[in-house]
Amino acid sequence: MKQWNDTGANQAMIANEQGAQSIGRREFLGGAAAATALIGGGVAAGVGSLASPAIAQQPAQFPDGFLWGTSTSSYQIEGAATADGRGPSIWDTLSHTPGKVLNNDTGDVAADHYNRYLEDVALMADAGLKAYRFSIAWPRIQPTGSGPANAKGLDFYDRLVDALLRRGIEPWPCLYHWDLPQALQDRGGWTNRDIADWFADYALIVAGRLGDRAKNWVMLNEPSVVAIFGHGVGGHAPDLRGRENFCAAIHHQNLAQGRALSALRAVGAKDWKLGTVLSVQPVKPSPGNDANRHAAAQWDAVWNRSCLDPLFKGQYPDSLIADFKPLIKQGDMEAIRQPIDFLGLNYYSRMHQVTDPGGLFGTNFGPSPEGTKYTDMGWPVEPEGLYEQLIDFRDNYGNIPVYVTENGASYGDWVGPTGKAEDGGRIFYIRDHLLACHRAIKDGANLKGYFVWTLLDNFEWGFGYTQHFGLVQVDRETMQRRPKASYYWYGDVAKSNEVPL
């Protein structure tokens, strides 16, 4: 998950919330049948649809073997911040700094997944999900960021992987989802070139323990977001700023990813699948000014291509070469350009850019087209952008196997008279993005699976616990799990391999 702002989003968000409430307060009578009945009104309610009117009553059938799952991240759900030898992470440091997170929330307890993982695995299994992308907390494995492994930290992921396999769920470990050991940040973190080797060593430790059972390995989650919000404009841990810090963080993550891929490939089993996860969002100029076209192209290079192009083409975008040149040493680009078995795509919306001389690269977020609807985070709802991005991978990056490894939305929910947690807006959002996936597959995109973000309401970074992305409510006092209407709806999609229209 990431955070960004759109000018004017707050007013649109209020209107969207009002619309979502009028939809979601309709009675759910239980399970997917009731949810499907509600979905039938989605177009009239203004959510929009990619379905063709000629086949509006026919479910969108996905290919045999299409993988349905969910994604989470360690700091956002695990809690147990000091249990069993875990060291502090940069997000522990930031969240305990007054004023850095809304309500001064922290991930100390989060969703208490560390202690309740069996309950959460059961929720996934009951929903019919067949894959779970979770992240490994580097500070649990190496509390000081390097050196010998902490056996108790590895033991937790052993238990989790075994629990998943017992319930027929494929484990998809992600080696890094933003919770860098604070001890490594004290040595420069992602601005220190040595981190590429530290990360490769860590990857070998984790895969050496879990690789006899876990076969699908994700290197990094959203390196561009780490670099932009953690190192360029601030707000995310470690809360650095500046163009040089951004470039160093991008290049060293790219290099660490390449080193880890190479190291795992050298020792790995033949049935391992190695990949990574990027946040890739089509960038559009905000309406009203032709100069915004240049801003959009520049931000596309910064957010998207600075990770895609080195991995697939062995080069940085032309508009950024001067910025990266001082960081590149002989052999770097060859080390970064590693073959991968799959690419994970995290998609939430398009990005709309305006020219801003004060921006990190001369751009900033601007208004979306008139009439755009927004989630409770103020993010545009644009399922067509997901289709566009999948087609871009088809046409410009070799049509590699792709999994949507994050897609979801923050919407309010409430407990209705029947005792169910209602969240109709989320169902509409997921439904229309799945229809975009279905359309892209029909048009030749090599899409193999979809992981919804996310299973549980969690610690949403700088927003603390104020935003709710989960299919399942988590009571902040008792940690009780309460599945929402979207949980039942998505579960029936996974079980039937089709999306009702």
Side-chain angles (χ1 to χ4, degrees), residues 127-344:
L129 304 185
K130 297 301 182 185
Y132 177 43
R133 184 183 74 104
F134 59 95
S135 72
I136 309 293
W138 194 342
R140 287 201 194 282
I141 309 307
Q142 293 176 299
T144 61
S146 59
N150 172 32
K152 289 185 178 180
L154 286 168
D155 288 346
F156 168 69
Y157 297 106
D158 252 341
R159 297 191 297 269
L160 175 60
V161 166
D162 286 345
L164 291 167
L165 292 173
R166 284 195 300 268
R167 300 302 299 267
I169 301 170
E170 292 182 9
W172 284 57
C174 175
L175 291 168
Y176 183 72
H177 197 133
W178 304 5
D179 47 356
L180 187 74
Q182 181 61 44
L184 292 187
Q185 185 59 42
D186 295 341
R187 298 164 70 181
W190 290 111
T191 67
N192 184 340
R193 182 182 175 88
D194 291 341
I195 200 170
D197 291 326
W198 301 333
F199 182 72
D201 291 344
Y202 156 70
L204 287 170
I205 290 172
V206 177
R209 180 66 172 267
L210 305 179
D212 60 329
R213 289 151 290 153
K215 305 302 181 183
N216 299 284
W217 289 90
V218 175
M219 302 301 105
L220 302 177
N221 179 80
E222 300 184 345
S224 65
V225 179
V226 171
I228 292 166
F229 291 111
H231 297 78
V233 300
H236 276 202
D239 199 29
L240 303 180
R241 289 162 175 78
R243 197 154 161 166
E244 290 185 1
N245 286 329
F246 160 81
C247 291
I250 280 284
H251 185 64
H252 297 151
Q253 284 180 96
N254 286 340
L255 189 59
Q257 176 178 276
R259 295 264 175 88
L261 285 166
S262 179
L264 293 184
R265 188 170 293 108
V267 304
K270 292 182 179 179
D271 57 352
W272 282 6
K273 301 294 184 184
L274 306 180
T276 199
V277 165
L278 303 179
S279 170
V280 189
Q281 325 288 323
V283 184
K284 304 292 183 182
S286 285
N289 187 338
D290 285 345
N292 293 340
R293 295 184 181 278
H294 174 74
Q298 181 70 343
W299 194 245
D300 179 55
V302 171
W303 186 289
N304 296 324
R305 313 299 166 178
S306 66
C307 295
L308 279 169
D309 287 4
L311 176 60
F312 288 102
K313 301 178 181 180
Q315 62 189 38
Y316 284 103
D318 290 345
S319 64
L320 301 178
I321 286 177
D323 292 282
F324 284 104
K325 188 175 180 179
L327 296 162
I328 300 172
K329 294 188 176 182
Q330 185 174 0
D332 278 7
M333 302 315 294
E334 292 79 9
I336 291 169
R337 190 181 186 182
Q338 292 290 322
I340 57 176
D341 299 304
F342 66 88
L343 177 65

Side-chain angles (χ1 to χ4, degrees), residues 3-14:
Q3 62 188 58
W4 62 77
N5 296 307
D6 260 25
T7 302
N10 289 338
Q11 293 177 335
M13 180 178 67
I14 292 170

Side-chain angles (χ1 to χ4, degrees), residues 384-402:
E384 298 87 353
L386 177 53
Y387 171 84
E388 292 169 1
Q389 192 53 58
L390 291 169
I391 296 304
D392 179 56
F393 290 154
R394 181 197 70 184
D395 294 344
N396 297 312
Y397 293 96
N399 208 20
I400 187 172
V402 172

Side-chain angles (χ1 to χ4, degrees), residues 455-477:
L455 179 67
L456 305 170
D457 285 343
N458 59 22
F459 177 84
E460 188 47 47
W461 308 116
F463 293 92
Y465 297 101
T466 66
Q467 296 293 327
H468 302 142
F469 280 82
L471 302 177
V472 177
Q473 284 183 348
V474 177
D475 186 287
R476 294 305 315 152
E477 297 296 327

